[in-house]
Amino acid sequence: MSEYMVEMEHIDKVFKTRHVLQLDEETRRRRWYKVNKVHAAADICFGIRRGEIFGLLGPNGAGKTTAVKMVSGLVRPDKGRVMVDGLDVEKKRRQILEKVGVVLEGTRTSMWPLTPYENLMYYGNLKNVRGGVLKGRAHDLLDFIGLKEKKNTEVRKLSRGQKQKLAICIALIADPNVLLLDEPTTGLDVQSSRAIKDRIIEMTRQHGRSVLVTTHDMHVAQELCDRIGIINKGVLVACKPTSELLDLFSDQVFSFKVNTLPDSAAFGDLPGVLGVTTEQSADGPVLMVKVVSEEALRSEAIYGVTERLRGLGCRMVSINQRQQNLESVFLQITGEPLQDAEEKDDSGTDAA
Amino acid sequence: MGFFLVMKAELVRTWIVMRRYWFRTITGMIMGYGMLMVMIAGFIYSRPMVGSAMSKIEDPMAATNFVLGFIIGMFAFGVVGMFTQGLQGMATTGVLEQLCMSPHGLITNFMAQTLVASVTSILSSSVMVFMVTFTVGGSLHWDTLAVVVLLTLTFFNLIGFGFMVGGLVLVFKQVGQVAFIIRMALFGLAVFAREEVMRQAWFITIPLHLLPVTDAAICLKYVLIKGQVDAAGEHLSVFQHPSFYWLVANCFIWTSIGLVVFRFMEDYSRSKGTLGTY
């Protein structure tokens, strides 16, 4: 038996999108539309272990939702193979659907004229669950997710957070081994977001489910996931345990709090120094120094910066290793800030 | 077994919605009745303007014919609509993605959904047909076996056609708008379909026979209005009527085509990445 519950093996997916044009910039001819090819997945490989929360992180249009849909069989890859619990999604889709629960567009998947309990009974039947088992599970899930009080309220009267919770219950009604959550906390207030994250962690630990979470929110990924894959324009650019991913970069940036800001160009020639920027924080001026990860050279670089500061007449108040967050990890891996990547994607390379 | 489980779920859901929104359900029926009566009255009182061509409308049997055609038309409109506007609506709300995630498969889900919607529609339509018929002084000849067989065949005829159009909608969502015109055409055909229409040249009658609602409407009208009495005034069972054979043949043809096209298009929309989305 494979150690992975979900495996994506060398997945390729290209979507053709049509952009309505008045004038083709390349040929200078007028056209009705232009067909663009968008790589939603380019040789993507990753696996999700049993009882693990795996996060797919990336900007809008990076290919995250496409990955979720490929695991659930809603989208067929052009190349490669998706395996769930040792079964090929292409060949055994129906069997796999009994093992997989999906939350896509969470707040809208439920039937709004029905109550949460009625929704669970309805979707339970659709998922082949019936009788006493279904009733018991519906009650347990509503209790677990915190919707017990609202079980007889029509969904249309529920808040966005409550609808999202219900969507998760619907995904769990067949007691799946794999849970796929597409942007589970988007648009929720802090409290609802916290509650949902807690429930996801709880059910993963208690029931040993494998969870795939896609998000463009770095904090969600950081708080929830055991491992993170960073995806950008269909390419999986990194895939590591969350702590390792943060450690990988955290030793590279040091902040030197000083009494007066020197010229950052004065540090460029120091060995082991990759880049220097200056910031004016609330506590005073700060020199941010990015150094190489090799330990010996790194120490030399820090020593060099300290000496150079002294030479320039700057008094050093403190040195701190900067705590990295995934925002800056994303920046360092992809070479562009998350917001820029999203803006570019919004302007014409929407993959999912 | 899966089909009946899904059907039970649909039945419960429909019942809950009808009961919860009872005012809307009753209003819908009253409006349907009122609309039919207004249309019949409109036809009758517009006679001086349209001349003798409309003289038959004054006849209760002709009015009943019209009402029944209207109801069959609405039925066809509704069933095909489930696969077009209904599918579009579910895609827009995100419910379709969940249906696609059901291990029973999309075809089973749709079949069950449409069957429940059709039974509901038939029940409410029957009440309306009897009310309107009674109001205009007409009468209906009831033959349970014939009506059940004909409605079943009509259902599969329409569902086959619906699956075909629905398959196209899965991939090309804009087809739904075109399908609205097709639904209107089916509706018109059901209203005006009668045996006399089928005495035209072959190049008119063959396409009419191939459409999913023509022979269904003719057969139902033949049973309910004519009481299974042919033009010579002799009793001829609907099961011996030529339109019945066309209906049976159509039923197999449309159901087969519909299921094949739907399965193919479902598969294709998975490749295209449009399954379940709008």
Side-chain angles (χ1 to χ4, degrees):
Chain A
M1 192 169 67
S2 165
E3 66 169 311
Y4 293 110
M5 191 67 187
V6 176
E7 287 174 90
M8 293 192 88
E9 299 170 358
H10 305 286
I11 298 297
D12 255 31
K13 184 72 200 172
V14 176
F15 287 120
K16 286 178 186 166
T17 56
R18 287 179 175 191
H19 294 273
V20 179
L21 284 184
Q22 284 191 326
L23 185 69
D24 189 329
E25 292 293 334
E26 291 165 18
T27 60
R28 308 299 297 170
R29 280 185 184 170
R30 285 192 180 277
R31 274 191 188 179
W32 287 106
Y33 62 84
K34 183 184 177 185
V35 175
N36 277 356
K37 284 185 178 176
V38 180
H39 245 107
D43 199 29
I44 285 188
C45 295
F46 67 82
I48 306 171
R49 295 187 183 92
R50 289 157 210 276
E52 180 184 54
I53 305 180
F54 183 87
L56 256 188
L57 187 70
N60 292 332
K64 306 185 296 291
T65 305
T66 305
V68 167
K69 288 186 174 180
M70 284 195 277
V71 176
S72 60
L74 285 172
V75 171
R76 173 188 291 138
D78 295 336
K79 277 186 201 162
R81 195 168 63 151
V82 184
M83 306 287 283
V84 175
D85 203 10
L87 299 171
D88 191 334
V89 173
E90 270 311 298
K91 291 173 185 162
K92 303 278 180 190
R93 185 163 178 257
R94 291 213 176 168
Q95 274 173 265
I96 283 164
L97 288 179
E98 292 190 0
K99 298 171 188 279
V100 176
V102 190
V103 179
L104 292 162
E105 299 267 2
T107 56
R108 302 192 309 161
T109 48
S110 46
M111 303 258 178
W112 288 21
L114 306 184
T115 65
Y117 180 73
E118 289 161 355
N119 260 289
L120 290 179
M121 297 302 284
Y122 175 78
Y123 281 113
N125 280 166
L126 257 55
K127 287 267 183 181
N128 229 354
V129 191
R130 61 189 89 193
V133 176
L134 177 57
K135 283 180 188 167
R137 206 176 280 168
H139 284 294
D140 290 348
L141 279 172
L142 290 171
D143 195 17
F144 167 73
I145 210 91
L147 280 179
K148 200 177 178 183
E149 306 295 313
K150 300 281 181 186
K151 72 171 185 175
N152 293 322
T153 308
E154 283 169 55
V155 174
R156 65 188 174 90
K157 293 176 185 167
L158 300 181
S159 69
R160 194 185 167 93
Q162 288 164 336
K163 283 177 190 147
Q164 187 71 25
K165 284 178 181 176
L166 176 61
I168 293 174
C169 288
I170 290 172
L172 289 172
I173 194 69
D175 195 21
N177 300 326
V178 179
L179 185 64
L180 310 172
L181 302 167
D182 189 23
E183 307 275 4
T185 57
T186 301
L188 299 186
D189 58 70
V190 179
Q191 213 174 0
S192 302
S193 177
R194 179 76 268 159
I196 284 176
K197 280 185 273 189
D198 288 346
R199 293 287 86 78
I200 293 170
I201 292 170
E202 204 177 323
M203 70 181 185
T204 311
R205 305 293 176 245
Q206 277 179 6
H207 301 277
R209 288 195 176 95
S210 305
V211 181
L212 171 61
V213 182
T214 72
T215 181
H216 63 267
D217 185 336
M218 304 292 179
H219 303 291
V220 172
Q222 205 165 329
E223 285 175 46
L224 266 183
C225 305
D226 301 312
R227 279 193 310 138
I228 290 173
I230 294 182
I231 189 168
N232 191 31
K233 291 165 191 163
V235 180
L236 193 69
V237 289
C239 183
K240 290 184 184 300
T242 311
S243 54
E244 204 178 302
L245 199 62
L246 292 170
D247 286 348
L248 189 68
F249 296 93
S250 63
D251 59 350
Q252 290 185 355
V253 179
F254 289 82
S255 65
F256 293 76
K257 201 177 284 179
V258 286
N259 64 337
T260 175
L261 273 181
D263 181 7
S264 58
F267 302 87
D269 61 325
L270 290 174
V273 173
L274 297 173
V276 178
T277 55
T278 55
E279 279 179 22
Q280 191 64 47
S281 75
D283 297 338
V286 179
L287 190 73
M288 304 297 292
V289 182
K290 188 178 174 187
V291 296
V292 293
S293 53
E294 194 188 328
E295 202 169 345
L297 207 54
R298 191 172 67 211
S299 304
E300 195 181 329
I302 294 165
Y303 180 76
V305 173
T306 318
E307 285 297 302
R308 185 66 54 87
L309 279 170
R310 193 176 296 149
L312 292 167
C314 299
R315 188 167 59 84
M316 199 170 66
V317 181
S318 63
I319 306 176
N320 285 305
Q321 196 173 358
R322 197 176 75 170
Q323 194 63 42
Q324 289 286 84
N325 60 22
L326 286 169
E327 184 89 43
S328 48
V329 170
F330 185 86
L331 171 72
Q332 286 174 60
I333 290 176
T334 63
E336 57 186 334
L338 180 68
Q339 276 184 340
D340 285 359
E342 287 186 2
E343 278 163 18
K344 279 181 191 170
D345 284 319
D346 288 344
S347 67
T349 55
D350 192 10
Chain B
M1 275 306 282
F3 174 75
F4 293 109
L5 191 63
V6 177
M7 212 175 87
K8 189 199 111 193
E10 272 306 321
L11 211 57
V12 172
R13 184 182 72 91
T14 308
W15 171 244
I16 290 170
V17 173
M18 276 176 73
R19 196 187 54 189
R20 189 160 291 154
Y21 299 96
W22 60 270
F23 191 73
R24 194 174 68 184
T25 309
I26 292 174
T27 314
M29 287 183 72
I30 294 172
M31 277 175 69
Y33 172 76
M35 197 165 67
L36 282 170
M37 289 307 296
V38 167
M39 286 180 83
I40 290 167
F43 272 112
I44 292 170
Y45 292 111
S46 65
R47 188 186 160 202
M49 283 189 285
V50 294
S52 58
M54 298 300 290
S55 62
K56 283 183 180 174
I57 296 297
E58 222 170 301
D59 173 14
M61 188 184 272
T64 310
N65 196 323
F66 174 77
V67 171
L68 193 61
F70 190 88
I71 298 287
I72 298 166
M74 287 299 285
F75 179 56
F77 194 78
V79 171
V80 178
M82 280 283 301
F83 290 91
T84 53
Q85 265 69 22
L87 208 141
Q88 274 182 317
M90 280 192 280
T92 314
T93 56
V95 170
L96 187 59
E97 275 171 342
Q98 285 298 327
L99 291 186
C100 294
M101 291 302 298
S102 164
H104 300 299
L106 208 48
I107 287 181
T108 305
N109 282 308
F110 267 115
M111 191 80 93
Q113 250 187 22
T114 318
L115 186 60
V116 172
S118 301
V119 169
T120 319
S121 160
I122 287 168
L123 288 177
S124 58
S125 300
S126 302
V127 174
M128 265 198 285
V129 169
F130 275 104
M131 280 166 65
V132 175
T133 308
F134 180 75
T135 313
V136 298
S139 61
L140 291 174
H141 302 270
W142 190 256
D143 181 342
T144 309
L145 177 69
V147 170
V148 169
V149 169
L150 291 177
L151 282 176
T152 308
L153 289 172
T154 308
F155 171 75
F156 281 104
N157 223 338
L158 289 170
I159 214 169
F161 187 77
F163 267 120
M164 188 191 73
V165 181
L168 294 171
V169 173
L170 276 182
V171 180
F172 313 104
K173 298 294 187 295
Q174 301 308 319
V175 168
Q177 312 307 322
V178 181
F180 190 79
I181 300 168
I182 298 171
R183 288 165 68 197
M184 288 302 292
L186 289 180
F187 176 75
L189 201 60
V191 173
F192 297 107
R194 52 176 66 196
E195 288 170 275
E196 293 76 15
V197 177
M198 305 313 267
R199 288 179 198 140
Q200 310 295 322
W202 66 269
F203 55 86
I204 297 175
T205 56
I206 296 289
L208 284 175
H209 276 304
L210 291 176
L211 285 167
V213 82
T214 322
D215 289 292
I218 289 173
C219 286
L220 279 165
K221 287 174 182 177
Y222 179 73
V223 172
L224 291 168
I225 296 168
K226 294 191 175 172
Q228 302 185 61
V229 175
D230 66 7
E234 291 188 8
H235 182 270
L236 176 74
S237 167
V238 70
F239 301 121
Q240 293 170 295
H241 196 284
S243 280
F244 178 75
Y245 299 112
W246 277 103
L247 180 60
V248 173
N250 267 347
C251 184
F252 283 109
I253 292 168
W254 280 114
T255 309
S256 310
I257 291 175
L259 292 177
V260 169
V261 170
F262 191 83
R263 191 150 288 220
F264 176 79
M265 294 313 259
E266 184 188 350
D267 214 40
Y268 180 59
S269 74
R270 283 183 60 220
S271 298
K272 231 182 146 222
T274 57
L275 187 63
T277 58
Y278 184 67

